[in-house]
Amino acid sequence: EEEGVKLKKSPWSDVVYTAQNVDNLTKLPGYEDGSFLVQDVSSVLCIEAAGIKNTDLVMDVCASPGGKSLLCAEKAKSVIAWDVSKEKVDRIRENVERMRAENVDCMVQDASVTAEKYKEVCGYNLDMQNFLSQLEYFYAHRKDCKVYITLHPCRVCQLKCVSSFFQSFPQLRAV
């Protein structure tokens, strides 16, 4: 709590603190040397809920500026971080270097992933129809559980990808 900054622990996660009395977190001591990452608690909870294991390969598309990729890198064997422009990928790389994450590969790549490109990068076949079927099954058998799905539209697709997702799952509603 240097420089008048007050930290308040989040009730949602043991690793998240809310900073008060600060205009620019990147100017605080420790930011440049990778002592902390600026991230919204919802992103942290999303990564914690994913159940990532140290043997997993994670692919983050529309990854800039790289916060969720870096959170995944703490848990996963390897992370592939894609974004649509060199400028965005450079921002991811800056954060990866600052945080000294050695298991994150950054690439300029459009997030409209083809099955062929996914296999080339990850080494696995992408069966989108099977994925959607499993998601439908999961949702249909959720019992009393609430299902939270985070969709992050990028500037390239605007809201088309979100709209497309909800057209595929008319039983879901946007919150």
Side-chain angles (χ1 to χ4, degrees):
E1 296 194 9
E2 294 181 32
E3 307 195 13
V5 176
K6 295 190 185 237
L7 297 176
K8 181 179 177 188
K9 192 169 190 174
S10 167
W12 304 105
S13 173
D14 291 337
V15 299
V16 176
Y17 290 83
T18 302
Q20 300 170 333
N21 302 330
V22 63
D23 292 325
N24 188 344
L25 292 168
T26 65
K27 301 294 182 200
L28 291 176
Y31 178 80
E32 284 301 321
D33 67 12
S35 295
F36 67 91
L37 176 66
V38 178
Q39 189 67 269
D40 185 81
V41 69
S42 63
S43 296
V44 174
L45 293 174
C46 177
I47 302 307
E48 288 177 359
I52 298 168
K53 298 181 287 296
N54 63 0
T55 57
D56 290 344
L57 167 65
V58 175
M59 177 182 259
D60 185 0
V61 296
C62 295
S64 182
K68 285 184 281 303
S69 294
L70 287 162
L71 291 170
C72 290
E74 292 178 358
K75 299 173 179 289
K77 178 179 181 179
S78 181
V79 176
I80 297 167
W82 283 1
D83 219 309
V84 72
S85 71
K86 179 185 180 314
E87 295 77 22
K88 288 182 175 227
V89 172
D90 286 346
R91 181 70 179 127
I92 300 167
R93 282 191 181 110
E94 288 172 16
N95 281 313
V96 166
E97 289 171 12
R98 183 177 62 79
M99 297 298 292
R100 295 180 295 283
E102 296 179 4
N103 61 339
V104 180
D105 291 317
C106 305
M107 298 172 67
V108 176
Q109 177 66 40
D110 189 319
S112 54
V113 181
T114 65
E116 293 79 22
K117 185 65 175 178
Y118 186 89
K119 180 165 177 60
E120 173 189 330
V121 171
C122 297
Y124 297 101
N125 288 318
L126 173 64
D127 184 345
M128 184 56 84
Q129 194 57 46
N130 186 40
F131 168 75
L132 295 175
S133 296
Q134 289 180 12
L135 186 57
E136 287 173 340
Y137 177 86
F138 173 75
Y139 185 80
H141 295 87
R142 70 190 181 285
K143 298 186 181 179
D144 293 338
C145 297
K146 290 183 180 177
V147 177
Y148 295 93
I149 300 170
T150 304
L151 300 172
H152 297 279
C154 63
R155 277 188 248 166
V156 174
C157 72
Q158 301 291 321
L159 292 173
K160 290 180 210 162
C161 56
V162 174
S163 172
S164 174
F165 179 84
F166 284 109
Q167 286 174 0
S168 298
F169 296 96
Q171 70 275 31
L172 300 181
R173 62 182 173 81
V175 179

PDB file of all heavy atoms in Angstrom, residues 105-134:
ATOM      1  N   ASP A 105       2.786 -18.650 -26.677  1.00  0.00           N
ATOM      2  CA  ASP A 105       3.164 -18.341 -28.051  1.00  0.00           C
ATOM      3  C   ASP A 105       2.137 -17.382 -28.628  1.00  0.00           C
ATOM      4  O   ASP A 105       0.931 -17.661 -28.583  1.00  0.00           O
ATOM      5  CB  ASP A 105       3.197 -19.613 -28.906  1.00  0.00           C
ATOM      6  CG  ASP A 105       4.332 -20.532 -28.517  1.00  0.00           C
ATOM      7  OD1 ASP A 105       5.445 -20.031 -28.299  1.00  0.00           O
ATOM      8  OD2 ASP A 105       4.096 -21.752 -28.417  1.00  0.00           O
ATOM      9  N   CYS A 106       2.608 -16.267 -29.163  1.00  0.00           N
ATOM     10  CA  CYS A 106       1.717 -15.238 -29.706  1.00  0.00           C
ATOM     11  C   CYS A 106       1.767 -15.275 -31.226  1.00  0.00           C
ATOM     12  O   CYS A 106       2.845 -15.420 -31.815  1.00  0.00           O
ATOM     13  CB  CYS A 106       2.167 -13.863 -29.232  1.00  0.00           C
ATOM     14  SG  CYS A 106       2.289 -13.714 -27.447  1.00  0.00           S
ATOM     15  N   MET A 107       0.601 -15.136 -31.858  1.00  0.00           N
ATOM     16  CA  MET A 107       0.526 -15.184 -33.320  1.00  0.00           C
ATOM     17  C   MET A 107      -0.519 -14.199 -33.827  1.00  0.00           C
ATOM     18  O   MET A 107      -1.570 -14.031 -33.205  1.00  0.00           O
ATOM     19  CB  MET A 107       0.096 -16.580 -33.788  1.00  0.00           C
ATOM     20  CG  MET A 107       1.039 -17.696 -33.427  1.00  0.00           C
ATOM     21  SD  MET A 107       0.319 -19.319 -33.807  1.00  0.00           S
ATOM     22  CE  MET A 107       0.262 -19.250 -35.585  1.00  0.00           C
ATOM     23  N   VAL A 108      -0.215 -13.570 -34.966  1.00  0.00           N
ATOM     24  CA  VAL A 108      -1.222 -12.780 -35.671  1.00  0.00           C
ATOM     25  C   VAL A 108      -2.079 -13.768 -36.429  1.00  0.00           C
ATOM     26  O   VAL A 108      -1.591 -14.521 -37.266  1.00  0.00           O
ATOM     27  CB  VAL A 108      -0.575 -11.770 -36.646  1.00  0.00           C
ATOM     28  CG1 VAL A 108      -1.650 -11.029 -37.439  1.00  0.00           C
ATOM     29  CG2 VAL A 108       0.316 -10.801 -35.887  1.00  0.00           C
ATOM     30  N   GLN A 109      -3.350 -13.821 -36.084  1.00  0.00           N
ATOM     31  CA  GLN A 109      -4.267 -14.774 -36.712  1.00  0.00           C
ATOM     32  C   GLN A 109      -5.686 -14.291 -36.498  1.00  0.00           C
ATOM     33  O   GLN A 109      -6.055 -13.886 -35.405  1.00  0.00           O
ATOM     34  CB  GLN A 109      -4.103 -16.169 -36.094  1.00  0.00           C
ATOM     35  CG  GLN A 109      -5.058 -17.203 -36.613  1.00  0.00           C
ATOM     36  CD  GLN A 109      -4.845 -17.526 -38.088  1.00  0.00           C
ATOM     37  OE1 GLN A 109      -3.725 -17.619 -38.544  1.00  0.00           O
ATOM     38  NE2 GLN A 109      -5.923 -17.679 -38.836  1.00  0.00           N
ATOM     39  N   ASP A 110      -6.489 -14.331 -37.559  1.00  0.00           N
ATOM     40  CA  ASP A 110      -7.897 -14.001 -37.460  1.00  0.00           C
ATOM     41  C   ASP A 110      -8.585 -15.058 -36.597  1.00  0.00           C
ATOM     42  O   ASP A 110      -8.297 -16.238 -36.716  1.00  0.00           O
ATOM     43  CB  ASP A 110      -8.501 -13.983 -38.869  1.00  0.00           C
ATOM     44  CG  ASP A 110      -9.906 -13.438 -38.906  1.00  0.00           C
ATOM     45  OD1 ASP A 110     -10.697 -13.751 -38.004  1.00  0.00           O
ATOM     46  OD2 ASP A 110     -10.209 -12.692 -39.845  1.00  0.00           O
ATOM     47  N   ALA A 111      -9.475 -14.627 -35.737  1.00  0.00           N
ATOM     48  CA  ALA A 111     -10.129 -15.543 -34.803  1.00  0.00           C
ATOM     49  C   ALA A 111     -11.199 -16.409 -35.451  1.00  0.00           C
ATOM     50  O   ALA A 111     -11.704 -17.326 -34.813  1.00  0.00           O
ATOM     51  CB  ALA A 111     -10.755 -14.771 -33.648  1.00  0.00           C
ATOM     52  N   SER A 112     -11.529 -16.145 -36.702  1.00  0.00           N
ATOM     53  CA  SER A 112     -12.474 -17.028 -37.374  1.00  0.00           C
ATOM     54  C   SER A 112     -11.685 -18.273 -37.788  1.00  0.00           C
ATOM     55  O   SER A 112     -11.201 -18.378 -38.900  1.00  0.00           O
ATOM     56  CB  SER A 112     -13.136 -16.343 -38.567  1.00  0.00           C
ATOM     57  OG  SER A 112     -12.167 -15.825 -39.431  1.00  0.00           O
ATOM     58  N   VAL A 113     -11.538 -19.166 -36.839  1.00  0.00           N
ATOM     59  CA  VAL A 113     -10.648 -20.317 -36.969  1.00  0.00           C
ATOM     60  C   VAL A 113     -11.258 -21.376 -37.874  1.00  0.00           C
ATOM     61  O   VAL A 113     -12.389 -21.796 -37.676  1.00  0.00           O
ATOM     62  CB  VAL A 113     -10.381 -20.927 -35.577  1.00  0.00           C
ATOM     63  CG1 VAL A 113      -9.448 -22.118 -35.676  1.00  0.00           C
ATOM     64  CG2 VAL A 113      -9.837 -19.883 -34.636  1.00  0.00           C
ATOM     65  N   THR A 114     -10.467 -21.790 -38.841  1.00  0.00           N
ATOM     66  CA  THR A 114     -10.890 -22.933 -39.643  1.00  0.00           C
ATOM     67  C   THR A 114     -10.408 -24.197 -38.940  1.00  0.00           C
ATOM     68  O   THR A 114      -9.450 -24.174 -38.156  1.00  0.00           O
ATOM     69  CB  THR A 114     -10.270 -22.880 -41.054  1.00  0.00           C
ATOM     70  OG1 THR A 114      -8.856 -23.007 -40.932  1.00  0.00           O
ATOM     71  CG2 THR A 114     -10.622 -21.594 -41.770  1.00  0.00           C
ATOM     72  N   ALA A 115     -11.048 -25.280 -39.222  1.00  0.00           N
ATOM     73  CA  ALA A 115     -10.640 -26.557 -38.632  1.00  0.00           C
ATOM     74  C   ALA A 115      -9.202 -26.893 -39.022  1.00  0.00           C
ATOM     75  O   ALA A 115      -8.431 -27.394 -38.205  1.00  0.00           O
ATOM     76  CB  ALA A 115     -11.592 -27.671 -39.064  1.00  0.00           C
ATOM     77  N   GLU A 116      -8.822 -26.556 -40.256  1.00  0.00           N
ATOM     78  CA  GLU A 116      -7.468 -26.843 -40.717  1.00  0.00           C
ATOM     79  C   GLU A 116      -6.427 -26.039 -39.933  1.00  0.00           C
ATOM     80  O   GLU A 116      -5.392 -26.557 -39.534  1.00  0.00           O
ATOM     81  CB  GLU A 116      -7.338 -26.543 -42.219  1.00  0.00           C
ATOM     82  CG  GLU A 116      -8.151 -27.467 -43.103  1.00  0.00           C
ATOM     83  CD  GLU A 116      -9.637 -27.079 -43.154  1.00  0.00           C
ATOM     84  OE1 GLU A 116      -9.996 -25.909 -42.877  1.00  0.00           O
ATOM     85  OE2 GLU A 116     -10.446 -27.980 -43.459  1.00  0.00           O
ATOM     86  N   LYS A 117      -6.692 -24.732 -39.723  1.00  0.00           N
ATOM     87  CA  LYS A 117      -5.752 -23.885 -38.999  1.00  0.00           C
ATOM     88  C   LYS A 117      -5.649 -24.329 -37.540  1.00  0.00           C
ATOM     89  O   LYS A 117      -4.569 -24.364 -36.963  1.00  0.00           O
ATOM     90  CB  LYS A 117      -6.185 -22.414 -39.079  1.00  0.00           C
ATOM     91  CG  LYS A 117      -5.193 -21.464 -38.459  1.00  0.00           C
ATOM     92  CD  LYS A 117      -3.877 -21.474 -39.224  1.00  0.00           C
ATOM     93  CE  LYS A 117      -2.913 -20.450 -38.703  1.00  0.00           C
ATOM     94  NZ  LYS A 117      -1.633 -20.471 -39.383  1.00  0.00           N
ATOM     95  N   TYR A 118      -6.774 -24.688 -36.957  1.00  0.00           N
ATOM     96  CA  TYR A 118      -6.771 -25.159 -35.576  1.00  0.00           C
ATOM     97  C   TYR A 118      -5.899 -26.408 -35.446  1.00  0.00           C
ATOM     98  O   TYR A 118      -5.076 -26.516 -34.550  1.00  0.00           O
ATOM     99  CB  TYR A 118      -8.206 -25.453 -35.139  1.00  0.00           C
ATOM    100  CG  TYR A 118      -8.353 -25.804 -33.677  1.00  0.00           C
ATOM    101  CD1 TYR A 118      -8.547 -24.810 -32.738  1.00  0.00           C
ATOM    102  CD2 TYR A 118      -8.292 -27.121 -33.246  1.00  0.00           C
ATOM    103  CE1 TYR A 118      -8.684 -25.111 -31.393  1.00  0.00           C
ATOM    104  CE2 TYR A 118      -8.425 -27.436 -31.904  1.00  0.00           C
ATOM    105  CZ  TYR A 118      -8.624 -26.430 -30.984  1.00  0.00           C
ATOM    106  OH  TYR A 118      -8.750 -26.739 -29.661  1.00  0.00           O
ATOM    107  N   LYS A 119      -6.052 -27.339 -36.376  1.00  0.00           N
ATOM    108  CA  LYS A 119      -5.241 -28.564 -36.339  1.00  0.00           C
ATOM    109  C   LYS A 119      -3.768 -28.245 -36.547  1.00  0.00           C
ATOM    110  O   LYS A 119      -2.899 -28.801 -35.867  1.00  0.00           O
ATOM    111  CB  LYS A 119      -5.712 -29.579 -37.371  1.00  0.00           C
ATOM    112  CG  LYS A 119      -4.883 -30.874 -37.345  1.00  0.00           C
ATOM    113  CD  LYS A 119      -5.555 -31.973 -38.094  1.00  0.00           C
ATOM    114  CE  LYS A 119      -4.754 -33.231 -38.159  1.00  0.00           C
ATOM    115  NZ  LYS A 119      -4.413 -33.853 -36.928  1.00  0.00           N
ATOM    116  N   GLU A 120      -3.463 -27.341 -37.461  1.00  0.00           N
ATOM    117  CA  GLU A 120      -2.074 -26.962 -37.726  1.00  0.00           C
ATOM    118  C   GLU A 120      -1.409 -26.401 -36.465  1.00  0.00           C
ATOM    119  O   GLU A 120      -0.279 -26.742 -36.145  1.00  0.00           O
ATOM    120  CB  GLU A 120      -2.040 -25.910 -38.833  1.00  0.00           C
ATOM    121  CG  GLU A 120      -0.678 -25.307 -39.101  1.00  0.00           C
ATOM    122  CD  GLU A 120      -0.775 -24.120 -40.052  1.00  0.00           C
ATOM    123  OE1 GLU A 120      -1.683 -24.083 -40.911  1.00  0.00           O
ATOM    124  OE2 GLU A 120       0.064 -23.219 -39.912  1.00  0.00           O
ATOM    125  N   VAL A 121      -2.107 -25.555 -35.744  1.00  0.00           N
ATOM    126  CA  VAL A 121      -1.528 -24.896 -34.572  1.00  0.00           C
ATOM    127  C   VAL A 121      -1.555 -25.799 -33.347  1.00  0.00           C
ATOM    128  O   VAL A 121      -0.573 -25.907 -32.619  1.00  0.00           O
ATOM    129  CB  VAL A 121      -2.266 -23.569 -34.289  1.00  0.00           C
ATOM    130  CG1 VAL A 121      -1.829 -22.973 -32.970  1.00  0.00           C
ATOM    131  CG2 VAL A 121      -2.012 -22.593 -35.423  1.00  0.00           C
ATOM    132  N   CYS A 122      -2.672 -26.447 -33.095  1.00  0.00           N
ATOM    133  CA  CYS A 122      -2.844 -27.214 -31.860  1.00  0.00           C
ATOM    134  C   CYS A 122      -2.545 -28.699 -31.987  1.00  0.00           C
ATOM    135  O   CYS A 122      -2.313 -29.367 -30.987  1.00  0.00           O
ATOM    136  CB  CYS A 122      -4.274 -27.073 -31.354  1.00  0.00           C
ATOM    137  SG  CYS A 122      -4.694 -25.406 -30.907  1.00  0.00           S
ATOM    138  N   GLY A 123      -2.622 -29.200 -33.212  1.00  0.00           N
ATOM    139  CA  GLY A 123      -2.393 -30.620 -33.389  1.00  0.00           C
ATOM    140  C   GLY A 123      -3.631 -31.462 -33.132  1.00  0.00           C
ATOM    141  O   GLY A 123      -3.565 -32.683 -33.077  1.00  0.00           O
ATOM    142  N   TYR A 124      -4.777 -30.816 -32.990  1.00  0.00           N
ATOM    143  CA  TYR A 124      -6.029 -31.540 -32.741  1.00  0.00           C
ATOM    144  C   TYR A 124      -7.042 -31.165 -33.813  1.00  0.00           C
ATOM    145  O   TYR A 124      -7.024 -30.066 -34.353  1.00  0.00           O
ATOM    146  CB  TYR A 124      -6.628 -31.158 -31.378  1.00  0.00           C
ATOM    147  CG  TYR A 124      -5.760 -31.526 -30.221  1.00  0.00           C
ATOM    148  CD1 TYR A 124      -4.971 -30.572 -29.589  1.00  0.00           C
ATOM    149  CD2 TYR A 124      -5.718 -32.838 -29.744  1.00  0.00           C
ATOM    150  CE1 TYR A 124      -4.172 -30.913 -28.513  1.00  0.00           C
ATOM    151  CE2 TYR A 124      -4.916 -33.181 -28.668  1.00  0.00           C
ATOM    152  CZ  TYR A 124      -4.149 -32.213 -28.060  1.00  0.00           C
ATOM    153  OH  TYR A 124      -3.355 -32.546 -27.005  1.00  0.00           O
ATOM    154  N   ASN A 125      -7.941 -32.091 -34.090  1.00  0.00           N
ATOM    155  CA  ASN A 125      -9.033 -31.785 -35.001  1.00  0.00           C
ATOM    156  C   ASN A 125     -10.100 -30.998 -34.252  1.00  0.00           C
ATOM    157  O   ASN A 125     -10.453 -31.325 -33.130  1.00  0.00           O
ATOM    158  CB  ASN A 125      -9.657 -33.069 -35.551  1.00  0.00           C
ATOM    159  CG  ASN A 125      -8.752 -33.753 -36.534  1.00  0.00           C
ATOM    160  OD1 ASN A 125      -8.141 -33.107 -37.377  1.00  0.00           O
ATOM    161  ND2 ASN A 125      -8.642 -35.062 -36.417  1.00  0.00           N
ATOM    162  N   LEU A 126     -10.599 -29.946 -34.894  1.00  0.00           N
ATOM    163  CA  LEU A 126     -11.669 -29.140 -34.324  1.00  0.00           C
ATOM    164  C   LEU A 126     -12.981 -29.637 -34.919  1.00  0.00           C
ATOM    165  O   LEU A 126     -13.201 -29.530 -36.118  1.00  0.00           O
ATOM    166  CB  LEU A 126     -11.474 -27.658 -34.652  1.00  0.00           C
ATOM    167  CG  LEU A 126     -12.611 -26.721 -34.254  1.00  0.00           C
ATOM    168  CD1 LEU A 126     -12.769 -26.703 -32.741  1.00  0.00           C
ATOM    169  CD2 LEU A 126     -12.353 -25.320 -34.777  1.00  0.00           C
ATOM    170  N   ASP A 127     -13.794 -30.222 -34.084  1.00  0.00           N
ATOM    171  CA  ASP A 127     -15.095 -30.712 -34.514  1.00  0.00           C
ATOM    172  C   ASP A 127     -16.146 -29.781 -33.921  1.00  0.00           C
ATOM    173  O   ASP A 127     -16.654 -30.006 -32.831  1.00  0.00           O
ATOM    174  CB  ASP A 127     -15.284 -32.151 -34.029  1.00  0.00           C
ATOM    175  CG  ASP A 127     -16.567 -32.762 -34.531  1.00  0.00           C
ATOM    176  OD1 ASP A 127     -17.453 -32.019 -35.016  1.00  0.00           O
ATOM    177  OD2 ASP A 127     -16.705 -33.991 -34.434  1.00  0.00           O
ATOM    178  N   MET A 128     -16.414 -28.682 -34.631  1.00  0.00           N
ATOM    179  CA  MET A 128     -17.321 -27.661 -34.110  1.00  0.00           C
ATOM    180  C   MET A 128     -18.712 -28.226 -33.871  1.00  0.00           C
ATOM    181  O   MET A 128     -19.344 -27.910 -32.881  1.00  0.00           O
ATOM    182  CB  MET A 128     -17.380 -26.478 -35.071  1.00  0.00           C
ATOM    183  CG  MET A 128     -18.229 -25.322 -34.551  1.00  0.00           C
ATOM    184  SD  MET A 128     -17.719 -24.714 -32.923  1.00  0.00           S
ATOM    185  CE  MET A 128     -16.436 -23.606 -33.400  1.00  0.00           C
ATOM    186  N   GLN A 129     -19.187 -29.089 -34.741  1.00  0.00           N
ATOM    187  CA  GLN A 129     -20.517 -29.648 -34.555  1.00  0.00           C
ATOM    188  C   GLN A 129     -20.584 -30.468 -33.267  1.00  0.00           C
ATOM    189  O   GLN A 129     -21.534 -30.370 -32.509  1.00  0.00           O
ATOM    190  CB  GLN A 129     -20.932 -30.506 -35.757  1.00  0.00           C
ATOM    191  CG  GLN A 129     -22.405 -30.824 -35.779  1.00  0.00           C
ATOM    192  CD  GLN A 129     -23.257 -29.565 -35.777  1.00  0.00           C
ATOM    193  OE1 GLN A 129     -23.013 -28.622 -36.513  1.00  0.00           O
ATOM    194  NE2 GLN A 129     -24.275 -29.541 -34.938  1.00  0.00           N
ATOM    195  N   ASN A 130     -19.555 -31.260 -33.002  1.00  0.00           N
ATOM    196  CA  ASN A 130     -19.495 -32.035 -31.768  1.00  0.00           C
ATOM    197  C   ASN A 130     -19.426 -31.109 -30.552  1.00  0.00           C
ATOM    198  O   ASN A 130     -20.085 -31.342 -29.538  1.00  0.00           O
ATOM    199  CB  ASN A 130     -18.295 -32.984 -31.791  1.00  0.00           C
ATOM    200  CG  ASN A 130     -18.286 -33.907 -30.595  1.00  0.00           C
ATOM    201  OD1 ASN A 130     -19.326 -34.401 -30.168  1.00  0.00           O
ATOM    202  ND2 ASN A 130     -17.111 -34.127 -30.040  1.00  0.00           N
ATOM    203  N   PHE A 131     -18.611 -30.049 -30.650  1.00  0.00           N
ATOM    204  CA  PHE A 131     -18.522 -29.084 -29.559  1.00  0.00           C
ATOM    205  C   PHE A 131     -19.886 -28.480 -29.252  1.00  0.00           C
ATOM    206  O   PHE A 131     -20.316 -28.401 -28.100  1.00  0.00           O
ATOM    207  CB  PHE A 131     -17.518 -27.978 -29.902  1.00  0.00           C
ATOM    208  CG  PHE A 131     -17.582 -26.801 -28.978  1.00  0.00           C
ATOM    209  CD1 PHE A 131     -17.052 -26.876 -27.699  1.00  0.00           C
ATOM    210  CD2 PHE A 131     -18.195 -25.627 -29.372  1.00  0.00           C
ATOM    211  CE1 PHE A 131     -17.116 -25.799 -26.832  1.00  0.00           C
ATOM    212  CE2 PHE A 131     -18.260 -24.545 -28.523  1.00  0.00           C
ATOM    213  CZ  PHE A 131     -17.728 -24.632 -27.248  1.00  0.00           C
ATOM    214  N   LEU A 132     -20.596 -28.045 -30.294  1.00  0.00           N
ATOM    215  CA  LEU A 132     -21.917 -27.436 -30.094  1.00  0.00           C
ATOM    216  C   LEU A 132     -22.903 -28.447 -29.529  1.00  0.00           C
ATOM    217  O   LEU A 132     -23.719 -28.117 -28.666  1.00  0.00           O
ATOM    218  CB  LEU A 132     -22.424 -26.839 -31.402  1.00  0.00           C
ATOM    219  CG  LEU A 132     -21.609 -25.657 -31.938  1.00  0.00           C
ATOM    220  CD1 LEU A 132     -22.134 -25.234 -33.308  1.00  0.00           C
ATOM    221  CD2 LEU A 132     -21.607 -24.503 -30.969  1.00  0.00           C
ATOM    222  N   SER A 133     -22.821 -29.684 -29.993  1.00  0.00           N
ATOM    223  CA  SER A 133     -23.702 -30.732 -29.455  1.00  0.00           C
ATOM    224  C   SER A 133     -23.441 -30.963 -27.974  1.00  0.00           C
ATOM    225  O   SER A 133     -24.368 -31.107 -27.179  1.00  0.00           O
ATOM    226  CB  SER A 133     -23.499 -32.049 -30.208  1.00  0.00           C
ATOM    227  OG  SER A 133     -23.881 -31.914 -31.528  1.00  0.00           O
ATOM    228  N   GLN A 134     -22.156 -30.985 -27.596  1.00  0.00           N
ATOM    229  CA  GLN A 134     -21.818 -31.178 -26.183  1.00  0.00           C
ATOM    230  C   GLN A 134     -22.290 -29.996 -25.338  1.00  0.00           C
ATOM    231  O   GLN A 134     -22.770 -30.174 -24.220  1.00  0.00           O
ATOM    232  CB  GLN A 134     -20.318 -31.394 -26.014  1.00  0.00           C
ATOM    233  CG  GLN A 134     -19.878 -32.739 -26.528  1.00  0.00           C
ATOM    234  CD  GLN A 134     -18.392 -32.958 -26.366  1.00  0.00           C
ATOM    235  OE1 GLN A 134     -17.706 -32.224 -25.676  1.00  0.00           O
ATOM    236  NE2 GLN A 134     -17.883 -33.992 -27.012  1.00  0.00           N
TER     237      GLN A 134
END
